[in-house]
Amino acid sequence: MKNVKRFFLMKAPLLVAGFFLLSCEKEIQELDNLKVSASKEAKGGGSTVARNLLYLPAEVKPTALSITAAPITVNLGGGNNAQVWAYNQSFPGPTIRANRGDNATITFQNQLPEHSIIHWHGLVVSTENDGQPQQAIQTGETYDYNFSINQRAAFNWYHPHPHMMTGEQVYNGLAGGFIVNDSEESAKNLPSGKYEVPLVIRDATFSKSGDMLYKPTSGGFFGQIALVNGTKDPYLDVDRAVYRFRILNGANSRVFGLALSNGASMHLIGNDGGLLPLSSDQARIDMGNGERTDVLIDFRNYPAGSKIMLRDLRAGWDILEFRVGNTEQKPFYATLPLTSAVEPLPAAVKTRTFSFDGMTKINGNLYDVNRIDWTVKKGDTELWVFKTNGNAPHPVHIHGASFQVVSRSGGRGKLFAWEAGWKDTVLLEDRETVTVRIRFDSFTGRYVMHCHKLEHEDMGMMANFEVVQ
């Protein structure tokens, strides 16, 4: 991987200001050009593309676990080797699986050429275990985590969080899934084992020599091709069975609009915070950066040899090809639609409004690692209102608590099925106002809120807040 000089590390105000002066028109044209290039490379339909078997990261438990971040060379499929940064020599990192009530004892070892830290995205943990920018460690150092997993079943994930460097580190390959199981979910008889598949979907750009290239603009990074679990042009052999796919949008900036090539519905059962109050059939699911989606896809009635493509309707990409094998129909024991108990948070005692300004600020402020921007009383329910007047999307992520999405006005003007229940990230598009109800009832301490378009985060669209007694 060529060392691309990070524009985020520039200290001179004039250099930083250069980002702000890029015209939106130019960025839109650049993105359109990338989409055209990517569509040509994807060869819509998959019939003319030599496809590669989907990589499935190994599963590990969070007890006495050591995670090392280091540069390695990996095979992206078909002999396409690339230098990446990886957790435990896996791209993406190993999938951590735990039960509610387990205690996680994890040591992070930084063998990167720069400082880093791990954030457990979606897990509600104390400040010292959260993996915030202030906790980043230097090359050769270690950081110990010790926390109890006390939340409902869900597909969470882990990734770096050093200020001004998160985008490139995630792009280089540092990400992995973190699955939490509980007794409520286990009683649903959902697909498991080989029939439960985590999918980390992202984009990338490669040089002629096969190196991954990271050349972001102030509007974000948009790669020219898709990767799923670090695999180029992937396929997955499937039985005539119902599969559970836990999907993460692990891209830096790209929003995905997922659909099946034959128009069939996916059965949506969960999101960031676990099972939804009511599952439903969806022909298309849009996912912002950092969001997760939990779906069932039924292959039982397809004849052997059928090929169905998971597509991104926004970019026109073929994401993952499913190849139906010559097997007997497998039984499916879950009862659809699924229901799950999600208790609404009580009425709010305070309302706060946050403006996501341009591509760098929240309420007019650039991120200051040492500044606390507001305080929240532990146990109080609040309404947080997110607004933007342009330069979206801004996927808003909050550390320290999950929240419930209350309303969206302007823009798309409605809530979506995948935004029900509990969330930790919500997509804010242009001209939208999104309101969420949130309560911090687990820990006091410092946390952050930020745009999960990683280039926006790195340029300062992040804020510290403190939960107090």
Side-chain angles (χ1 to χ4, degrees):
M1 183 188 318
K2 295 180 180 177
N3 284 323
V4 180
K5 185 175 182 181
R6 278 182 301 277
F7 62 86
F8 303 123
L9 297 180
M10 296 173 179
K11 301 294 185 180
L14 289 176
L15 290 176
V16 176
F19 299 122
F20 312 154
L21 297 176
L22 289 174
S23 71
C24 292
E25 181 178 354
K26 179 180 178 182
E27 289 171 7
I28 291 170
Q29 184 61 52
E30 288 175 353
L31 180 54
D32 287 343
N33 290 341
L34 285 176
K35 287 182 177 181
V36 170
S37 175
S39 295
K40 289 179 179 178
E41 190 162 346
K43 306 288 187 184
S47 60
T48 61
V49 173
R51 297 207 157 262
N52 306 299
L53 181 63
L54 179 71
Y55 174 66
L56 298 176
E59 285 194 2
V60 296
K61 295 187 178 299
T63 305
L65 175 63
S66 178
I67 297 180
T68 299
I72 65 166
T73 299
V74 297
N75 182 357
L76 305 177
N80 293 295
N81 293 327
Q83 296 180 30
V84 302
W85 290 0
Y87 290 128
N88 288 7
Q89 299 187 327
S90 177
F91 176 50
T95 301
I96 302 171
R97 185 182 290 271
N99 292 315
R100 182 172 187 171
D102 285 352
N103 198 66
T105 51
I106 304 171
T107 297
F108 168 54
Q109 300 185 42
N110 182 16
Q111 297 300 326
L112 302 171
E114 58 193 37
H115 64 276
S116 190
I117 194 67
I118 294 179
H119 166 56
W120 313 101
H121 186 128
L123 294 175
V124 178
V125 296
S126 63
T127 298
E128 58 268 27
N129 287 293
D130 193 41
Q132 298 176 23
Q134 297 92 333
Q135 296 159 335
I137 60 173
Q138 298 300 321
T139 303
E141 294 182 342
T142 61
Y143 192 95
D144 292 325
Y145 299 88
N146 189 329
F147 56 88
S148 177
I149 300 169
N150 186 27
Q151 59 199 87
R152 69 199 308 254
F155 182 37
N156 307 291
W157 64 300
Y158 60 100
H159 63 80
H161 217 305
H163 182 41
M164 302 178 81
M165 304 165 78
T166 298
E168 187 168 6
Q169 290 192 9
V170 173
Y171 175 77
N172 285 348
L174 294 175
F178 197 129
I179 296 173
V180 177
N181 298 121
D182 66 12
S183 58
E184 182 203 11
E185 182 192 60
S186 298
K188 303 292 187 183
N189 293 316
L190 291 166
S192 60
K194 66 178 287 188
Y195 301 108
E196 178 189 13
V197 183
L199 302 177
V200 179
I201 301 176
R202 51 162 295 178
D203 55 358
T205 294
F206 293 89
S207 68
K208 291 181 179 179
S209 62
D211 290 330
M212 289 176 62
L213 297 177
Y214 182 61
K215 293 184 177 180
T217 71
S218 58
F221 173 85
F222 297 91
Q224 294 181 342
I225 67 167
L227 296 177
V228 184
N229 293 357
T231 310
K232 295 177 68 173
D233 300 318
Y235 75 89
L236 178 66
D237 290 318
V238 296
D239 293 338
R240 297 176 67 209
V242 177
Y243 280 73
R244 180 183 189 179
F245 293 99
R246 297 178 180 264
I247 306 173
L248 160 67
N249 180 350
N252 282 35
S253 294
R254 186 178 296 279
V255 177
F256 292 107
L258 300 181
L260 296 176
S261 58
N262 60 357
S265 293
M266 299 171 284
H267 196 78
L268 174 71
I269 64 172
N271 61 4
D272 307 351
L275 295 177
L276 296 170
L278 181 67
S279 66
S280 61
D281 288 334
Q282 301 292 326
R284 171 175 174 161
I285 298 173
D286 286 270
M287 298 183 66
N289 314 105
E291 289 188 297
R292 283 87 71 208
T293 296
D294 198 346
V295 298
L296 303 178
I297 300 181
D298 190 349
F299 299 103
R300 289 177 297 174
N301 295 319
Y302 293 114
S306 298
K307 295 181 180 179
I308 301 100
M309 192 70 70
L310 179 65
R311 285 184 167 150
D312 171 26
L313 299 184
R314 288 180 174 238
W317 287 352
D318 289 341
I319 300 290
L320 171 62
E321 183 179 76
F322 302 112
R323 298 179 177 179
V324 182
N326 185 19
T327 59
E328 294 184 359
Q329 285 189 358
K330 305 295 182 182
F332 177 64
Y333 299 105
T335 301
L336 299 181
L338 295 180
T339 59
S340 181
V342 176
E343 182 178 351
L345 287 170
V349 300
K350 187 179 183 65
T351 299
R352 303 177 193 268
T353 300
F354 302 97
S355 175
F356 287 76
D357 303 325
M359 293 168 281
T360 60
K361 298 177 182 179
I362 298 176
N363 285 350
N365 294 319
L366 286 168
Y367 179 64
D368 182 338
V369 70
N370 297 310
R371 186 186 66 231
I372 300 297
D373 291 289
W374 68 93
T375 60
V376 182
K377 188 175 180 181
K378 182 182 177 183
D380 281 358
T381 301
E382 299 191 352
L383 285 179
W384 289 12
V385 182
F386 306 134
K387 296 183 177 181
T388 181
N389 292 316
N391 299 304
H394 300 302
V396 182
H397 173 50
I398 304 171
H399 293 216
S402 296
F403 55 79
Q404 295 171 354
V405 186
V406 175
S407 65
R408 175 182 285 107
S409 60
R412 293 169 292 164
K414 65 176 183 178
L415 297 182
F416 298 89
W418 49 87
E419 296 178 317
W422 291 102
K423 293 279 290 173
D424 58 57
T425 307
V426 65
L427 185 60
L428 179 66
E429 290 274 24
D430 273 335
R431 310 298 173 183
E432 291 185 352
T433 297
V434 173
T435 300
V436 307
R437 188 176 288 120
I438 191 166
R439 181 176 66 191
F440 297 86
D441 53 11
S442 296
F443 300 99
T444 58
R446 182 195 63 240
Y447 292 96
V448 296
M449 178 179 77
H450 59 87
C451 175
H452 218 285
K453 178 181 274 196
L454 298 182
E455 286 70 38
H456 287 184
E457 173 189 331
D458 280 340
M459 289 191 294
M461 191 169 273
M462 181 160 58
N464 290 315
F465 64 93
E466 188 173 7
V467 180
V468 299
Q469 286 287 0

